[in-house]
mmCIF file of all heavy atoms in Angstrom:
data_model
loop_
_atom_site.group_PDB
_atom_site.id
_atom_site.type_symbol
_atom_site.label_atom_id
_atom_site.label_comp_id
_atom_site.label_asym_id
_atom_site.label_seq_id
_atom_site.Cartn_x
_atom_site.Cartn_y
_atom_site.Cartn_z
ATOM 1 N N TYR A 1 -12.931 25.112 42.767
ATOM 2 C CA TYR A 1 -12.942 23.818 43.454
ATOM 3 C C TYR A 1 -13.668 23.910 44.788
ATOM 4 O O TYR A 1 -14.359 22.974 45.204
ATOM 5 C CB TYR A 1 -11.507 23.333 43.670
ATOM 6 C CG TYR A 1 -11.388 22.127 44.577
ATOM 7 C CD1 TYR A 1 -11.516 20.839 44.058
ATOM 8 C CD2 TYR A 1 -11.145 22.273 45.944
ATOM 9 C CE1 TYR A 1 -11.411 19.721 44.889
ATOM 10 C CE2 TYR A 1 -11.041 21.167 46.776
ATOM 11 C CZ TYR A 1 -11.176 19.895 46.245
ATOM 12 O OH TYR A 1 -11.082 18.808 47.068
ATOM 13 N N GLU A 2 -13.510 25.028 45.460
ATOM 14 C CA GLU A 2 -14.093 25.192 46.793
ATOM 15 C C GLU A 2 -15.615 25.105 46.774
ATOM 16 O O GLU A 2 -16.232 24.753 47.783
ATOM 17 C CB GLU A 2 -13.641 26.524 47.401
ATOM 18 C CG GLU A 2 -12.153 26.595 47.691
ATOM 19 C CD GLU A 2 -11.715 25.557 48.711
ATOM 20 O OE1 GLU A 2 -12.065 25.685 49.897
ATOM 21 O OE2 GLU A 2 -11.033 24.593 48.326
ATOM 22 N N ASP A 3 -16.233 25.437 45.662
ATOM 23 C CA ASP A 3 -17.693 25.388 45.559
ATOM 24 C C ASP A 3 -18.183 24.230 44.699
ATOM 25 O O ASP A 3 -19.381 24.106 44.437
ATOM 26 C CB ASP A 3 -18.222 26.709 44.966
ATOM 27 C CG ASP A 3 -17.940 27.901 45.869
ATOM 28 O OD1 ASP A 3 -18.136 27.767 47.091
ATOM 29 O OD2 ASP A 3 -17.486 28.941 45.361
ATOM 30 N N ALA A 4 -17.270 23.380 44.251
ATOM 31 C CA ALA A 4 -17.655 22.269 43.383
ATOM 32 C C ALA A 4 -18.407 21.208 44.181
ATOM 33 O O ALA A 4 -18.198 21.035 45.386
ATOM 34 C CB ALA A 4 -16.416 21.654 42.737
ATOM 35 N N SER A 5 -19.279 20.491 43.481
ATOM 36 C CA SER A 5 -20.027 19.403 44.115
ATOM 37 C C SER A 5 -19.124 18.187 44.280
ATOM 38 O O SER A 5 -18.052 18.094 43.664
ATOM 39 C CB SER A 5 -21.232 19.030 43.248
ATOM 40 O OG SER A 5 -20.788 18.472 42.010
ATOM 41 N N GLU A 6 -19.562 17.252 45.102
ATOM 42 C CA GLU A 6 -18.804 16.019 45.273
ATOM 43 C C GLU A 6 -18.689 15.271 43.949
ATOM 44 O O GLU A 6 -17.673 14.627 43.676
ATOM 45 C CB GLU A 6 -19.452 15.140 46.337
ATOM 46 C CG GLU A 6 -19.351 15.703 47.748
ATOM 47 C CD GLU A 6 -17.916 15.993 48.174
ATOM 48 O OE1 GLU A 6 -17.052 15.102 47.987
ATOM 49 O OE2 GLU A 6 -17.653 17.104 48.672
ATOM 50 N N GLU A 7 -19.721 15.344 43.143
ATOM 51 C CA GLU A 7 -19.705 14.689 41.835
ATOM 52 C C GLU A 7 -18.649 15.305 40.928
ATOM 53 O O GLU A 7 -17.962 14.598 40.181
ATOM 54 C CB GLU A 7 -21.075 14.778 41.173
ATOM 55 C CG GLU A 7 -22.168 13.933 41.799
ATOM 56 C CD GLU A 7 -22.679 14.523 43.117
ATOM 57 O OE1 GLU A 7 -22.475 15.729 43.366
ATOM 58 O OE2 GLU A 7 -23.284 13.755 43.896
ATOM 59 N N GLU A 8 -18.500 16.623 40.989
ATOM 60 C CA GLU A 8 -17.506 17.304 40.156
ATOM 61 C C GLU A 8 -16.079 17.009 40.615
ATOM 62 O O GLU A 8 -15.157 16.994 39.808
ATOM 63 C CB GLU A 8 -17.754 18.815 40.176
ATOM 64 C CG GLU A 8 -19.019 19.225 39.436
ATOM 65 C CD GLU A 8 -19.351 20.693 39.638
ATOM 66 O OE1 GLU A 8 -19.292 21.181 40.788
ATOM 67 O OE2 GLU A 8 -19.689 21.358 38.633
ATOM 68 N N LYS A 9 -15.907 16.759 41.910
ATOM 69 C CA LYS A 9 -14.580 16.453 42.445
ATOM 70 C C LYS A 9 -14.207 14.984 42.256
ATOM 71 O O LYS A 9 -13.029 14.640 42.261
ATOM 72 C CB LYS A 9 -14.536 16.777 43.942
ATOM 73 C CG LYS A 9 -14.693 18.245 44.290
ATOM 74 C CD LYS A 9 -14.710 18.414 45.802
ATOM 75 C CE LYS A 9 -14.894 19.858 46.205
ATOM 76 N NZ LYS A 9 -14.948 20.013 47.687
ATOM 77 N N ASP A 10 -15.198 14.145 42.105
ATOM 78 C CA ASP A 10 -15.003 12.700 42.105
ATOM 79 C C ASP A 10 -14.070 12.247 40.981
ATOM 80 O O ASP A 10 -14.329 12.494 39.809
ATOM 81 C CB ASP A 10 -16.362 12.021 41.961
ATOM 82 C CG ASP A 10 -16.260 10.513 41.981
ATOM 83 O OD1 ASP A 10 -15.262 9.996 42.523
ATOM 84 O OD2 ASP A 10 -17.162 9.850 41.444
ATOM 85 N N TYR A 11 -12.995 11.586 41.375
ATOM 86 C CA TYR A 11 -12.034 11.096 40.384
ATOM 87 C C TYR A 11 -12.106 9.581 40.201
ATOM 88 O O TYR A 11 -11.470 9.023 39.314
ATOM 89 C CB TYR A 11 -10.601 11.470 40.784
ATOM 90 C CG TYR A 11 -10.225 11.129 42.213
ATOM 91 C CD1 TYR A 11 -9.975 9.815 42.600
ATOM 92 C CD2 TYR A 11 -10.113 12.115 43.185
ATOM 93 C CE1 TYR A 11 -9.633 9.497 43.897
ATOM 94 C CE2 TYR A 11 -9.774 11.804 44.493
ATOM 95 C CZ TYR A 11 -9.537 10.498 44.847
ATOM 96 O OH TYR A 11 -9.200 10.185 46.135
ATOM 97 N N ALA A 12 -12.878 8.904 41.038
ATOM 98 C CA ALA A 12 -12.848 7.440 41.050
ATOM 99 C C ALA A 12 -13.279 6.832 39.730
ATOM 100 O O ALA A 12 -12.623 5.933 39.194
ATOM 101 C CB ALA A 12 -13.725 6.912 42.186
ATOM 102 N N ALA A 13 -14.394 7.295 39.190
ATOM 103 C CA ALA A 13 -14.895 6.715 37.940
ATOM 104 C C ALA A 13 -13.901 6.935 36.808
ATOM 105 O O ALA A 13 -13.670 6.039 35.984
ATOM 106 C CB ALA A 13 -16.247 7.322 37.590
ATOM 107 N N ALA A 14 -13.293 8.121 36.787
ATOM 108 C CA ALA A 14 -12.304 8.417 35.742
ATOM 109 C C ALA A 14 -11.091 7.499 35.877
ATOM 110 O O ALA A 14 -10.606 6.939 34.898
ATOM 111 C CB ALA A 14 -11.885 9.886 35.813
ATOM 112 N N PHE A 15 -10.604 7.330 37.103
ATOM 113 C CA PHE A 15 -9.440 6.483 37.326
ATOM 114 C C PHE A 15 -9.730 5.032 36.949
ATOM 115 O O PHE A 15 -8.889 4.349 36.372
ATOM 116 C CB PHE A 15 -9.016 6.533 38.799
ATOM 117 C CG PHE A 15 -8.320 7.801 39.203
ATOM 118 C CD1 PHE A 15 -8.330 8.930 38.390
ATOM 119 C CD2 PHE A 15 -7.658 7.878 40.412
ATOM 120 C CE1 PHE A 15 -7.701 10.101 38.785
ATOM 121 C CE2 PHE A 15 -7.011 9.044 40.813
ATOM 122 C CZ PHE A 15 -7.041 10.153 39.991
ATOM 123 N N ALA A 16 -10.925 4.578 37.291
ATOM 124 C CA ALA A 16 -11.273 3.188 37.018
ATOM 125 C C ALA A 16 -11.355 2.899 35.521
ATOM 126 O O ALA A 16 -11.250 1.748 35.100
ATOM 127 C CB ALA A 16 -12.597 2.848 37.687
ATOM 128 N N SER A 17 -11.527 3.956 34.725
ATOM 129 C CA SER A 17 -11.656 3.769 33.278
ATOM 130 C C SER A 17 -10.401 4.147 32.505
ATOM 131 O O SER A 17 -10.406 4.166 31.278
ATOM 132 C CB SER A 17 -12.838 4.597 32.751
ATOM 133 O OG SER A 17 -12.584 5.979 32.904
ATOM 134 N N PHE A 18 -9.300 4.445 33.223
ATOM 135 C CA PHE A 18 -8.058 4.795 32.536
ATOM 136 C C PHE A 18 -7.611 3.640 31.631
ATOM 137 O O PHE A 18 -7.474 2.502 32.110
ATOM 138 C CB PHE A 18 -6.935 5.071 33.546
ATOM 139 C CG PHE A 18 -6.924 6.454 34.124
ATOM 140 C CD1 PHE A 18 -6.095 6.747 35.190
ATOM 141 C CD2 PHE A 18 -7.714 7.464 33.611
ATOM 142 C CE1 PHE A 18 -6.058 8.016 35.744
ATOM 143 C CE2 PHE A 18 -7.691 8.739 34.157
ATOM 144 C CZ PHE A 18 -6.858 9.014 35.217
ATOM 145 N N PRO A 19 -7.349 3.897 30.366
ATOM 146 C CA PRO A 19 -6.857 2.830 29.480
ATOM 147 C C PRO A 19 -5.484 2.299 29.861
ATOM 148 O O PRO A 19 -5.193 1.120 29.666
ATOM 149 C CB PRO A 19 -6.807 3.506 28.099
ATOM 150 C CG PRO A 19 -7.682 4.708 28.212
ATOM 151 C CD PRO A 19 -7.567 5.151 29.640
ATOM 152 N N ASN A 20 -4.621 3.170 30.404
ATOM 153 C CA ASN A 20 -3.216 2.789 30.618
ATOM 154 C C ASN A 20 -2.870 2.408 32.049
ATOM 155 O O ASN A 20 -1.746 2.026 32.337
ATOM 156 C CB ASN A 20 -2.299 3.945 30.201
ATOM 157 C CG ASN A 20 -2.475 4.336 28.752
ATOM 158 O OD1 ASN A 20 -3.086 3.607 27.985
ATOM 159 N ND2 ASN A 20 -1.954 5.495 28.377
ATOM 160 N N ILE A 21 -3.833 2.557 32.978
ATOM 161 C CA ILE A 21 -3.517 2.427 34.394
ATOM 162 C C ILE A 21 -4.615 1.640 35.111
ATOM 163 O O ILE A 21 -5.788 1.819 34.826
ATOM 164 C CB ILE A 21 -3.383 3.821 35.059
ATOM 165 C CG1 ILE A 21 -2.207 4.596 34.455
ATOM 166 C CG2 ILE A 21 -3.196 3.700 36.566
ATOM 167 C CD1 ILE A 21 -2.188 6.056 34.834
ATOM 168 N N SER A 22 -4.203 0.792 36.049
ATOM 169 C CA SER A 22 -5.169 0.106 36.903
ATOM 170 C C SER A 22 -4.826 0.371 38.366
ATOM 171 O O SER A 22 -3.668 0.258 38.762
ATOM 172 C CB SER A 22 -5.144 -1.402 36.655
ATOM 173 O OG SER A 22 -5.913 -2.077 37.637
ATOM 174 N N TRP A 23 -5.840 0.725 39.153
ATOM 175 C CA TRP A 23 -5.653 0.944 40.582
ATOM 176 C C TRP A 23 -6.298 -0.190 41.380
ATOM 177 O O TRP A 23 -6.641 -0.026 42.547
ATOM 178 C CB TRP A 23 -6.274 2.277 41.000
ATOM 179 C CG TRP A 23 -5.608 3.464 40.406
ATOM 180 C CD1 TRP A 23 -5.951 4.098 39.257
ATOM 181 C CD2 TRP A 23 -4.482 4.177 40.931
ATOM 182 N NE1 TRP A 23 -5.106 5.160 39.028
ATOM 183 C CE2 TRP A 23 -4.196 5.227 40.044
ATOM 184 C CE3 TRP A 23 -3.688 4.019 42.073
ATOM 185 C CZ2 TRP A 23 -3.164 6.121 40.248
ATOM 186 C CZ3 TRP A 23 -2.657 4.914 42.278
ATOM 187 C CH2 TRP A 23 -2.396 5.954 41.376
ATOM 188 N N LYS A 24 -6.455 -1.354 40.767
ATOM 189 C CA LYS A 24 -7.168 -2.473 41.385
ATOM 190 C C LYS A 24 -6.579 -2.837 42.753
ATOM 191 O O LYS A 24 -5.385 -3.013 42.909
ATOM 192 C CB LYS A 24 -7.123 -3.697 40.464
ATOM 193 C CG LYS A 24 -7.944 -4.881 40.971
ATOM 194 C CD LYS A 24 -7.935 -6.017 39.950
ATOM 195 C CE LYS A 24 -8.741 -7.212 40.453
ATOM 196 N NZ LYS A 24 -8.760 -8.314 39.463
ATOM 197 N N GLY A 25 -7.450 -2.930 43.733
ATOM 198 C CA GLY A 25 -7.061 -3.347 45.063
ATOM 199 C C GLY A 25 -6.436 -2.274 45.926
ATOM 200 O O GLY A 25 -6.097 -2.527 47.082
ATOM 201 N N HIS A 26 -6.310 -1.071 45.381
ATOM 202 C CA HIS A 26 -5.621 0.012 46.096
ATOM 203 C C HIS A 26 -6.630 1.059 46.541
ATOM 204 O O HIS A 26 -7.321 1.652 45.718
ATOM 205 C CB HIS A 26 -4.579 0.650 45.182
ATOM 206 C CG HIS A 26 -3.666 1.605 45.892
ATOM 207 N ND1 HIS A 26 -2.422 1.233 46.359
ATOM 208 C CD2 HIS A 26 -3.829 2.897 46.248
ATOM 209 C CE1 HIS A 26 -1.860 2.271 46.948
ATOM 210 N NE2 HIS A 26 -2.693 3.286 46.888
ATOM 211 N N CYS A 27 -6.735 1.288 47.843
ATOM 212 C CA CYS A 27 -7.673 2.293 48.340
ATOM 213 C C CYS A 27 -7.200 3.687 47.949
ATOM 214 O O CYS A 27 -6.066 4.078 48.240
ATOM 215 C CB CYS A 27 -7.800 2.210 49.859
ATOM 216 S SG CYS A 27 -8.977 3.415 50.524
ATOM 217 N N MET A 28 -8.082 4.421 47.279
ATOM 218 C CA MET A 28 -7.753 5.769 46.822
ATOM 219 C C MET A 28 -8.345 6.840 47.732
ATOM 220 O O MET A 28 -8.292 8.018 47.426
ATOM 221 C CB MET A 28 -8.276 5.965 45.389
ATOM 222 C CG MET A 28 -7.701 4.982 44.385
ATOM 223 S SD MET A 28 -5.926 5.127 44.234
ATOM 224 C CE MET A 28 -5.811 6.752 43.525
ATOM 225 N N TYR A 29 -8.968 6.424 48.858
ATOM 226 C CA TYR A 29 -9.586 7.351 49.807
ATOM 227 C C TYR A 29 -10.664 8.203 49.133
ATOM 228 O O TYR A 29 -10.851 9.373 49.463
ATOM 229 C CB TYR A 29 -8.533 8.250 50.473
ATOM 230 C CG TYR A 29 -7.328 7.514 50.995
ATOM 231 C CD1 TYR A 29 -6.047 7.910 50.648
ATOM 232 C CD2 TYR A 29 -7.464 6.409 51.834
ATOM 233 C CE1 TYR A 29 -4.932 7.219 51.123
ATOM 234 C CE2 TYR A 29 -6.356 5.720 52.310
ATOM 235 C CZ TYR A 29 -5.098 6.136 51.949
ATOM 236 O OH TYR A 29 -4.007 5.452 52.418
ATOM 237 N N CYS A 30 -11.348 7.614 48.145
ATOM 238 C CA CYS A 30 -12.323 8.374 47.354
ATOM 239 C C CYS A 30 -13.711 8.379 47.980
ATOM 240 O O CYS A 30 -14.591 9.122 47.545
ATOM 241 C CB CYS A 30 -12.408 7.820 45.933
ATOM 242 S SG CYS A 30 -13.143 6.161 45.815
ATOM 243 N N SER A 31 -13.946 7.515 48.998
ATOM 244 C CA SER A 31 -15.213 7.430 49.744
ATOM 245 C C SER A 31 -16.389 6.920 48.925
ATOM 246 O O SER A 31 -17.542 7.120 49.313
ATOM 247 C CB SER A 31 -15.559 8.792 50.379
ATOM 248 O OG SER A 31 -14.594 9.126 51.366
ATOM 249 N N HIS A 32 -16.128 6.256 47.816
ATOM 250 C CA HIS A 32 -17.221 5.647 47.071
ATOM 251 C C HIS A 32 -17.853 4.505 47.840
ATOM 252 O O HIS A 32 -18.964 4.074 47.521
ATOM 253 C CB HIS A 32 -16.727 5.138 45.706
ATOM 254 C CG HIS A 32 -16.912 6.134 44.613
ATOM 255 N ND1 HIS A 32 -17.802 5.972 43.593
ATOM 256 C CD2 HIS A 32 -16.336 7.336 44.406
ATOM 257 C CE1 HIS A 32 -17.762 7.006 42.789
ATOM 258 N NE2 HIS A 32 -16.867 7.861 43.262
ATOM 259 N N CYS A 33 -17.153 4.000 48.840
ATOM 260 C CA CYS A 33 -17.684 2.906 49.651
ATOM 261 C C CYS A 33 -18.851 3.361 50.523
ATOM 262 O O CYS A 33 -19.645 2.545 50.995
ATOM 263 C CB CYS A 33 -16.581 2.333 50.524
ATOM 264 S SG CYS A 33 -15.620 3.601 51.389
ATOM 265 N N ALA A 34 -18.974 4.652 50.779
ATOM 266 C CA ALA A 34 -20.049 5.192 51.612
ATOM 267 C C ALA A 34 -21.382 5.145 50.838
ATOM 268 O O ALA A 34 -21.388 5.112 49.601
ATOM 269 C CB ALA A 34 -19.711 6.621 52.015
ATOM 270 N N PRO A 35 -22.520 5.123 51.567
ATOM 271 C CA PRO A 35 -22.638 5.198 53.025
ATOM 272 C C PRO A 35 -22.549 3.829 53.674
ATOM 273 O O PRO A 35 -23.001 2.835 53.118
ATOM 274 C CB PRO A 35 -24.029 5.796 53.212
ATOM 275 C CG PRO A 35 -24.810 5.276 52.043
ATOM 276 C CD PRO A 35 -23.835 5.214 50.890
ATOM 277 N N CYS A 36 -21.967 3.815 54.864
ATOM 278 C CA CYS A 36 -21.887 2.595 55.649
ATOM 279 C C CYS A 36 -23.091 2.546 56.589
ATOM 280 O O CYS A 36 -23.431 3.567 57.213
ATOM 281 C CB CYS A 36 -20.596 2.610 56.466
ATOM 282 S SG CYS A 36 -20.491 1.335 57.741
ATOM 283 N N PRO A 37 -23.768 1.405 56.711
ATOM 284 C CA PRO A 37 -24.932 1.327 57.601
ATOM 285 C C PRO A 37 -24.583 1.615 59.063
ATOM 286 O O PRO A 37 -25.453 2.004 59.844
ATOM 287 C CB PRO A 37 -25.431 -0.110 57.414
ATOM 288 C CG PRO A 37 -24.297 -0.866 56.837
ATOM 289 C CD PRO A 37 -23.529 0.113 56.022
#
């Protein structure tokens, strides 16, 4: 994990596609919102 890329660590896309779970409206601190101008 210590040498993994940000893409390999990224859980947001997986969570957003969970069949049984929705995280809608809840900030997961995943930083997909970046970069901010």
Side-chain angles (χ1 to χ4, degrees):
Y1 170 86
E2 294 298 290
D3 296 317
S5 66
E6 291 304 312
E7 290 75 20
E8 290 172 314
K9 295 177 181 178
D10 181 23
Y11 50 74
F15 285 13
S17 65
F18 277 170
N20 301 346
I21 296 168
S22 170
W23 294 93
K24 185 176 179 179
H26 190 96
C27 181
M28 301 298 294
Y29 312 128
C30 68
S31 295
H32 267 249
C33 47
C36 168

